[in-house]
Amino acid sequence: MSKLSKVLSFMDIYLLSVGYIIGAGIFILIGDVSKYAKSLSWLSFSIAGIFALIISTTYIDISTIYSSNHGDYKFVKNTLGEIPAIITVLLMIGVGVTTISTVALSIGKFLSPIISISPRIIALIVILLFTSVNCFGVKETTYFNHFCTFTEILGLLIVCITGLFFHKSSLPTNTKNIKIPDILYSSILAIFVYSGFESTVKLTEEAKDPNDIPKAIFASVITTSVIYVLVSLAVIKCCNTKTLHESTIPIVTMAKMFFGSNISKLFYIIALLSISNTLVISILGSSRMLFSVSREYSILNLFNHVNETYNTPIYAIIAIAIASIVALLFKNVEVLASITSYLMFIVFSVLSYCLIIVYDKDDIQDKLKNNWTYKINQGKPILPILGLGLNLGMLGFGAYHHFA
């Protein structure tokens, strides 16, 4: 058994987290969010951002308590026992797998009309392509991430500035027909676009300084929250929600409106890079979770193998790719996004509950007292309780709204 290389700086981890969070979500799902929240889509993204920040504090604390790629597994195991830990880690890997499938299928739906190939065939190809990228090394993956993240942020800022300050809109801003349940349900969908910060923990064993992990989680959630709210304000100001919902990539539709067909083609490339970025990092995070957990069970030794040439867990990466391909049987992007969000709520609820149970223990308090979260909590599990309440509430409401 070989060890993973400790090569990631704070900036590497921060950009991986930002790139993962921004990725496909804002480019694809803003249309689905606007379907329900309409002109108040910015409010849904704001609510989702606040929820994500509160929920992320649990991961910030866990990464402080356990400095390993599968610290959340160890945490649940030591708190609730082995069976709940196994179930939790399976759910976490499920989140990664459904995220990969959602993103790959989004690329397929986008490219299918252009190259006349089935969306699922395209999704299969891109999963195989970016699985190969992950196999070559984590630094190679971060180089790709850096390029994609800077490019997508630049593109989104151009859309924001143009939409907010230079585009005159005659669209009505009537909010009378928007119901609170629709805003809350759209917030559940919007939570999907914040998914990714939890995967930052999976990079602990490749970080030069494990203390960079909680810092990167907090910084990335704040950064993306600001970007999402600004983008949603600009988009809703300039484009009606029906057009947004029917558009394959709403941000590109906005660019075409602002700059014309020729320049908007650049935004197709930016969107594809952004979506691909999420796919690459999803495979990275999920494979690291499988790799780390496999060290706990001899039956999973195959996934604990690190390739000596590339220093990557190739078999774990391939296993995640295969599971993601199977998940392509769900061909509806909104359904996959909803499944991902629900799985996230369950996992976050379990972790928050565990943190509540152990928070008053002396050894836990000693490890957490230097975190900014500890100053807010004042030695009590205030944020974990809030996180648990939010997760259970959103999970219950989402299920009710979906099946009612």
Side-chain angles (χ1 to χ4, degrees), residues 65 75 78-79 353-365:
I65 298 169
F75 187 46
N78 292 338
T79 307
Y353 175 69
C354 289
L355 191 55
I356 292 169
I357 291 175
V358 303
Y359 204 88
D360 61 349
K361 293 184 177 180
D362 291 339
D363 58 330
I364 298 296
Q365 296 258 328

mmCIF file of all heavy atoms in Angstrom, residues 65 75 78-79 353-365:
data_model
loop_
_atom_site.group_PDB
_atom_site.id
_atom_site.type_symbol
_atom_site.label_atom_id
_atom_site.label_comp_id
_atom_site.label_asym_id
_atom_site.label_seq_id
_atom_site.Cartn_x
_atom_site.Cartn_y
_atom_site.Cartn_z
ATOM 1 N N ILE A 65 -11.386 17.719 13.820
ATOM 2 C CA ILE A 65 -11.304 16.589 14.746
ATOM 3 C C ILE A 65 -10.546 15.421 14.130
ATOM 4 O O ILE A 65 -9.709 14.786 14.778
ATOM 5 C CB ILE A 65 -12.720 16.137 15.156
ATOM 6 C CG1 ILE A 65 -13.450 17.269 15.893
ATOM 7 C CG2 ILE A 65 -12.659 14.902 16.061
ATOM 8 C CD1 ILE A 65 -14.930 17.012 16.098
ATOM 9 N N PHE A 75 -15.771 9.496 12.240
ATOM 10 C CA PHE A 75 -16.574 10.252 13.194
ATOM 11 C C PHE A 75 -17.877 9.524 13.513
ATOM 12 O O PHE A 75 -18.245 9.340 14.677
ATOM 13 C CB PHE A 75 -16.848 11.639 12.622
ATOM 14 C CG PHE A 75 -17.528 12.578 13.571
ATOM 15 C CD1 PHE A 75 -17.104 12.708 14.884
ATOM 16 C CD2 PHE A 75 -18.598 13.356 13.146
ATOM 17 C CE1 PHE A 75 -17.728 13.586 15.760
ATOM 18 C CE2 PHE A 75 -19.222 14.232 14.006
ATOM 19 C CZ PHE A 75 -18.791 14.347 15.317
ATOM 20 N N ASN A 78 -17.161 6.140 15.394
ATOM 21 C CA ASN A 78 -16.820 6.300 16.806
ATOM 22 C C ASN A 78 -17.985 6.832 17.635
ATOM 23 O O ASN A 78 -17.993 6.687 18.864
ATOM 24 C CB ASN A 78 -15.618 7.239 16.948
ATOM 25 C CG ASN A 78 -14.344 6.632 16.401
ATOM 26 O OD1 ASN A 78 -14.219 5.410 16.292
ATOM 27 N ND2 ASN A 78 -13.388 7.474 16.026
ATOM 28 N N THR A 79 -18.962 7.430 16.974
ATOM 29 C CA THR A 79 -20.104 8.012 17.688
ATOM 30 C C THR A 79 -21.316 7.087 17.721
ATOM 31 O O THR A 79 -21.923 6.869 18.776
ATOM 32 C CB THR A 79 -20.514 9.357 17.048
ATOM 33 O OG1 THR A 79 -19.378 10.216 16.953
ATOM 34 C CG2 THR A 79 -21.581 10.042 17.890
ATOM 35 N N TYR A 353 -25.970 15.360 13.828
ATOM 36 C CA TYR A 353 -26.434 14.651 15.020
ATOM 37 C C TYR A 353 -25.251 14.103 15.816
ATOM 38 O O TYR A 353 -25.210 14.219 17.055
ATOM 39 C CB TYR A 353 -27.375 13.515 14.609
ATOM 40 C CG TYR A 353 -27.825 12.644 15.766
ATOM 41 C CD1 TYR A 353 -28.692 13.135 16.744
ATOM 42 C CD2 TYR A 353 -27.380 11.329 15.895
ATOM 43 C CE1 TYR A 353 -29.110 12.345 17.813
ATOM 44 C CE2 TYR A 353 -27.789 10.529 16.955
ATOM 45 C CZ TYR A 353 -28.641 11.042 17.907
ATOM 46 O OH TYR A 353 -29.045 10.260 18.956
ATOM 47 N N CYS A 354 -24.290 13.535 15.121
ATOM 48 C CA CYS A 354 -23.099 12.999 15.795
ATOM 49 C C CYS A 354 -22.325 14.104 16.507
ATOM 50 O O CYS A 354 -21.843 13.924 17.635
ATOM 51 C CB CYS A 354 -22.189 12.296 14.783
ATOM 52 S SG CYS A 354 -22.847 10.738 14.152
ATOM 53 N N LEU A 355 -22.213 15.259 15.854
ATOM 54 C CA LEU A 355 -21.478 16.373 16.456
ATOM 55 C C LEU A 355 -22.188 16.888 17.697
ATOM 56 O O LEU A 355 -21.541 17.258 18.692
ATOM 57 C CB LEU A 355 -21.303 17.497 15.431
ATOM 58 C CG LEU A 355 -20.332 18.625 15.796
ATOM 59 C CD1 LEU A 355 -18.948 18.079 16.136
ATOM 60 C CD2 LEU A 355 -20.241 19.638 14.660
ATOM 61 N N ILE A 356 -23.501 16.894 17.672
ATOM 62 C CA ILE A 356 -24.285 17.307 18.845
ATOM 63 C C ILE A 356 -24.000 16.376 20.023
ATOM 64 O O ILE A 356 -23.816 16.823 21.164
ATOM 65 C CB ILE A 356 -25.797 17.308 18.516
ATOM 66 C CG1 ILE A 356 -26.120 18.416 17.512
ATOM 67 C CG2 ILE A 356 -26.624 17.499 19.795
ATOM 68 C CD1 ILE A 356 -27.504 18.334 16.933
ATOM 69 N N ILE A 357 -23.942 15.078 19.753
ATOM 70 C CA ILE A 357 -23.734 14.082 20.803
ATOM 71 C C ILE A 357 -22.391 14.251 21.512
ATOM 72 O O ILE A 357 -22.304 14.170 22.742
ATOM 73 C CB ILE A 357 -23.837 12.657 20.215
ATOM 74 C CG1 ILE A 357 -25.278 12.350 19.798
ATOM 75 C CG2 ILE A 357 -23.376 11.606 21.235
ATOM 76 C CD1 ILE A 357 -25.437 11.015 19.104
ATOM 77 N N VAL A 358 -21.338 14.511 20.732
ATOM 78 C CA VAL A 358 -19.978 14.512 21.314
ATOM 79 C C VAL A 358 -19.474 15.906 21.655
ATOM 80 O O VAL A 358 -18.363 16.041 22.184
ATOM 81 C CB VAL A 358 -18.983 13.827 20.347
ATOM 82 C CG1 VAL A 358 -19.431 12.422 20.017
ATOM 83 C CG2 VAL A 358 -18.799 14.649 19.068
ATOM 84 N N TYR A 359 -20.247 16.953 21.370
ATOM 85 C CA TYR A 359 -19.713 18.309 21.438
ATOM 86 C C TYR A 359 -19.215 18.694 22.826
ATOM 87 O O TYR A 359 -18.256 19.470 22.963
ATOM 88 C CB TYR A 359 -20.769 19.324 20.978
ATOM 89 C CG TYR A 359 -20.162 20.615 20.480
ATOM 90 C CD1 TYR A 359 -19.791 20.748 19.156
ATOM 91 C CD2 TYR A 359 -19.944 21.691 21.336
ATOM 92 C CE1 TYR A 359 -19.225 21.919 18.685
ATOM 93 C CE2 TYR A 359 -19.384 22.860 20.887
ATOM 94 C CZ TYR A 359 -19.014 22.971 19.556
ATOM 95 O OH TYR A 359 -18.439 24.129 19.099
ATOM 96 N N ASP A 360 -19.841 18.180 23.867
ATOM 97 C CA ASP A 360 -19.463 18.606 25.218
ATOM 98 C C ASP A 360 -18.315 17.785 25.814
ATOM 99 O O ASP A 360 -17.914 18.019 26.967
ATOM 100 C CB ASP A 360 -20.672 18.551 26.151
ATOM 101 C CG ASP A 360 -21.234 17.143 26.280
ATOM 102 O OD1 ASP A 360 -20.820 16.260 25.502
ATOM 103 O OD2 ASP A 360 -22.104 16.930 27.157
ATOM 104 N N LYS A 361 -17.762 16.843 25.054
ATOM 105 C CA LYS A 361 -16.639 16.051 25.548
ATOM 106 C C LYS A 361 -15.370 16.894 25.572
ATOM 107 O O LYS A 361 -15.120 17.688 24.659
ATOM 108 C CB LYS A 361 -16.438 14.804 24.688
ATOM 109 C CG LYS A 361 -17.591 13.801 24.804
ATOM 110 C CD LYS A 361 -17.302 12.530 24.010
ATOM 111 C CE LYS A 361 -18.424 11.515 24.186
ATOM 112 N NZ LYS A 361 -18.159 10.265 23.431
ATOM 113 N N ASP A 362 -14.560 16.699 26.596
ATOM 114 C CA ASP A 362 -13.377 17.543 26.789
ATOM 115 C C ASP A 362 -12.401 17.457 25.621
ATOM 116 O O ASP A 362 -11.855 18.481 25.186
ATOM 117 C CB ASP A 362 -12.666 17.148 28.092
ATOM 118 C CG ASP A 362 -13.480 17.507 29.333
ATOM 119 O OD1 ASP A 362 -14.359 18.393 29.215
ATOM 120 O OD2 ASP A 362 -13.247 16.913 30.400
ATOM 121 N N ASP A 363 -12.136 16.244 25.103
ATOM 122 C CA ASP A 363 -11.169 16.104 24.015
ATOM 123 C C ASP A 363 -11.664 16.764 22.734
ATOM 124 O O ASP A 363 -10.878 17.343 21.970
ATOM 125 C CB ASP A 363 -10.853 14.627 23.754
ATOM 126 C CG ASP A 363 -12.085 13.816 23.409
ATOM 127 O OD1 ASP A 363 -13.186 14.163 23.881
ATOM 128 O OD2 ASP A 363 -11.955 12.822 22.660
ATOM 129 N N ILE A 364 -12.969 16.732 22.508
ATOM 130 C CA ILE A 364 -13.548 17.391 21.331
ATOM 131 C C ILE A 364 -13.460 18.911 21.490
ATOM 132 O O ILE A 364 -13.090 19.640 20.562
ATOM 133 C CB ILE A 364 -15.016 16.957 21.126
ATOM 134 C CG1 ILE A 364 -15.105 15.454 20.879
ATOM 135 C CG2 ILE A 364 -15.647 17.738 19.979
ATOM 136 C CD1 ILE A 364 -14.434 14.974 19.629
ATOM 137 N N GLN A 365 -13.773 19.397 22.683
ATOM 138 C CA GLN A 365 -13.714 20.839 22.943
ATOM 139 C C GLN A 365 -12.303 21.371 22.763
ATOM 140 O O GLN A 365 -12.095 22.454 22.214
ATOM 141 C CB GLN A 365 -14.206 21.121 24.364
ATOM 142 C CG GLN A 365 -15.669 20.773 24.613
ATOM 143 C CD GLN A 365 -16.575 21.989 24.598
ATOM 144 O OE1 GLN A 365 -16.171 23.080 24.980
ATOM 145 N NE2 GLN A 365 -17.796 21.810 24.135
#
